[in-house]
Amino acid sequence: MLNFIFAQKSFSQTTKPISERTTRILFLLDASASMAIRMDSKWEDGTRMDAAKKILAQIVDTLKRKPNLEIGLRAFGSQSPTPLNDCSDSKLLVPFGTANIPYIKDALKTIKPTGITPIALSFEKAMNDFPKDSTARNIVILITDGEESCGGDPCAISLAMQKNHIFLRPFIIAINAETNLSAEYECMGNYFNAQNPEGLKTILTNIVMTSLNPTSVQINLLDINGKATETDVDISFTDYYTKQTLYNYYHTITYSGVSDTISLDPVLKYDLTVHTIPAITKLNVDLKPNVVNVINIPAPQGFLYVKTQTVAINNNVNNKIKCIVMKAGTSEEVNLQGMGLSEKYLCGKYDLEFLTLPRTTISNVDISERETTTIQIPTPGVLSVSKSFPVVGGIFTCENNEWKKIYDFAETTGNETVALQPGTYKVIYKSKSSKKTADSQTKTITISTGENSSIAL
């Protein structure tokens, strides 16, 4: 059912600044019976509900003249008494609008804590509360004092809503929540626990400020001396929770010599990936609003240039040779580099494996900052194999006093061309039609750097 509903929602990422986009905030208020509990002396406003309604009314009153902002109000547990166990008790009291704050304040006065706590259902119903607008920022702020009481999975529903771009990661404000409930709240969204009315007001004020104000990020790619001099590399920001990539930029240093700043949505948490070779990832980046968030990433880099000693006689030979670059001492591949090319890598040691016949390996190649490390391998020779009849067989090389096959002949007549590294090889074969093992033939061939050789079978 949910998948079908989600499929009808469209989303397109926009580059319009956050300040120019419509922000819609849905206040989702718990009106279950437990909100009628009178608190200790710290809660001078009486019950949990009294404090929540009073503070929420004060907050929305400050939003009257905020541009590009619409707010709405939904409550759950406010219509049916607890004994009815009404898991459908969730109602949009005030739809989104630009001039509806008086209606929200009036609606708050009428809410009475009565029923139970269908949080998952309320998240699901919120999907249709927001107008269809692919460029808007949709935000849910849940104020509650209890856990889901209808068997729903608010964490799964919340995550599904985020992945389908219904709303951004919600804010969850718990009122005097028990410690053992924190895990349930945290999986739903950005979790806060208000211990008293002052704390609730502070938390709610900060959340609204975060929701309405973009933030700036400056990423410094540090060289070996800790200076922000590295640049011209792709950087991406992925939603920490949904793992969906949201922004891609190329890092730039301005004319004044400092890393350029970019504007990001502070409501989200991010995984930051700097696409150096190998990539650098910083997880769970939490941004603060109204400040320049400076993120320092050590990323000193140098160059690796791989080539053959001379240009191969056959141009296709060079095109086919590739170099697998791995972290030294591991099998972790970080790049596949072509011959005759220079590419940039993080400083450190790497193992190289060239896709020659046979493979050529070089270990512990050191890449130093701003220097080019040149690695040169022998130019392959080209062996032309002439077959007057179909054969089975191949080319063998000696490794540790053992002859190992490195190439299989096609079982056809005609010519085959094989690029081989300089060295001595054996060609072992027999006629495909022969029924005698003793008919096997062995020939030895020596390949020289960059030269043509031939053999007839």
Side-chain angles (χ1 to χ4, degrees), residues 251-271:
H251 186 274
T252 305
I253 290 181
T254 66
Y255 288 113
S256 58
V258 298
S259 300
D260 197 14
T261 58
I262 52 179
S263 180
L264 295 181
D265 196 327
V267 171
L268 301 172
K269 290 185 179 182
Y270 301 93
D271 288 342

Side-chain angles (χ1 to χ4, degrees), residues 119-187:
I119 297 176
L121 173 76
S122 299
F123 274 151
E124 187 176 341
K125 285 184 173 295
M127 174 177 60
N128 293 317
D129 295 344
F130 292 99
K132 290 180 171 59
D133 182 351
S134 61
T135 65
R137 300 171 63 247
N138 296 337
I139 295 169
V140 173
I141 300 176
L142 167 64
I143 301 174
T144 182
D145 73 334
E147 59 186 318
E148 168 72 33
S149 60
C150 288
D153 188 342
C155 295
I157 295 294
S158 175
L159 185 60
M161 293 288 182
Q162 295 170 61
K163 286 184 175 179
N164 287 275
H165 312 288
I166 308 301
F167 48 68
L168 301 177
R169 185 158 180 82
F171 293 98
I172 314 298
I173 305 176
I175 298 178
N176 267 151
E178 298 177 15
T179 304
N180 61 358
L181 292 180
S182 62
E184 178 170 345
Y185 291 129
E186 287 172 349
C187 68

Side-chain angles (χ1 to χ4, degrees), residues 370-427:
R370 293 191 176 86
E371 294 184 4
T372 298
T373 300
T374 300
I375 299 296
Q376 180 175 274
I377 64 171
T379 306
V382 176
L383 174 65
S384 295
V385 182
S386 175
K387 299 176 294 180
S388 58
F389 50 85
V391 301
V392 291
I395 302 172
F396 292 72
T397 187
C398 188
E399 294 181 7
N400 300 320
N401 295 317
E402 180 181 352
W403 288 94
K404 295 183 178 180
K405 184 190 289 185
I406 60 171
Y407 183 82
D408 266 313
F409 292 132
E411 296 177 2
T412 59
T413 59
N415 295 326
E416 286 187 52
T417 301
V418 186
L420 296 169
Q421 288 303 100
T424 300
Y425 301 88
K426 284 186 177 180
V427 176

Side-chain angles (χ1 to χ4, degrees), residues 11 141 154 191 206 344 397 427 444 454:
F11 175 82
I141 300 176
Y191 166 67
N206 290 339
K344 204 171 188 180
T397 187
V427 176
T444 300
S454 61

